[in-house]
């Protein structure tokens, strides 16, 4: 019905997140896509899209959406970078893990990085971590 805000990207994003939380990733993805048709640069919708795609195990597309969201933020959250790392590591596509590493090192230097990420980059974990 008209007037209920179904063209409001914030409302669509909230409904999409609720769907994702109820393990309805396809529905959440539909809402994320609708948000992005209204505003292709809506960072929260990109994150929602990436999380839905991750739940659907569509890793390469998830990594792409999460990468785009992280690039739009001055300081991407640790959770976003971890979700991107997971998607990138599980993807069979050739994904630049160095970009993720650089963001983690810059914004979260004291965080213990995922061992698999370090191994794929050919790096050794710091002693004591």
């Amino acid at each position: 019905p008209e007037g209920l805000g179904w063209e409001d990207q914030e409302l669509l994003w909230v409904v999409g997140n609720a769907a994702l939380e109820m393990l309805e990733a396809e529905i959440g993805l539909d809402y994320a896509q609708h948000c992005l048709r209204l505003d292709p640069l809506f960072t929260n919708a990109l994150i929602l899209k990436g999380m839905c795609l991750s739940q659907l195990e569509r890793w390469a597309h998830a990594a792409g959406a999460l990468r785009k969201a992280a690039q739009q933020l001055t300081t991407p959250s640790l959770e976003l970078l971890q979700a991107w790392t997971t998607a990138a590591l599980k993807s069979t596509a050739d994904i630049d893990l160095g970009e993720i590493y650089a963001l983690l090192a810059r914004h979260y230097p004291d965080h213990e990085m995922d061992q698999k990420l370090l191994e794929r980059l050919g790096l050794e974990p710091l002693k004591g971590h």
Side-chain angles (χ1 to χ4, degrees):
E2 279 188 47
L4 289 181
W6 292 112
E7 293 303 313
D8 180 302
Q9 67 187 27
E10 294 289 333
L11 175 63
L12 295 169
W13 173 75
V14 168
V15 175
N17 268 305
L20 177 62
E21 288 178 17
M22 294 186 314
L23 303 178
E24 295 289 346
E26 286 287 353
I27 294 170
L29 181 59
D30 288 343
Y31 280 101
Q33 298 283 47
H34 192 90
C35 287
L36 292 168
R37 280 192 296 278
L38 295 172
D39 179 1
L41 299 177
F42 184 25
T43 305
N44 287 337
L46 284 168
I47 294 169
L48 174 60
K49 177 181 178 179
M51 299 307 287
C52 290
L53 289 167
S54 290
Q55 196 174 91
L56 295 167
E57 298 183 5
R58 292 164 51 188
W59 302 114
H61 293 292
L66 296 168
R67 175 181 186 261
K68 188 172 180 179
Q71 289 176 329
Q72 290 180 189
L73 297 168
T74 304
T75 304
S77 71
L78 179 58
E79 294 78 12
L80 172 56
L81 294 178
Q82 289 172 321
W84 179 15
T85 300
T86 299
L89 288 170
K90 290 188 176 205
S91 172
T92 57
D94 185 25
I95 294 175
D96 181 9
L97 297 174
E99 184 178 3
I100 301 170
Y101 173 78
L103 287 170
L104 282 167
R106 180 179 329 130
H107 297 294
Y108 304 97
D110 296 328
H111 183 266
E112 184 176 328
M113 290 182 209
D114 185 297
Q115 182 62 35
K116 290 179 184 176
L117 174 61
L118 293 173
E119 288 172 5
R120 289 267 299 268
L121 289 167
L123 300 172
E124 294 291 323
L126 295 174
K127 301 296 181 216
H129 279 66

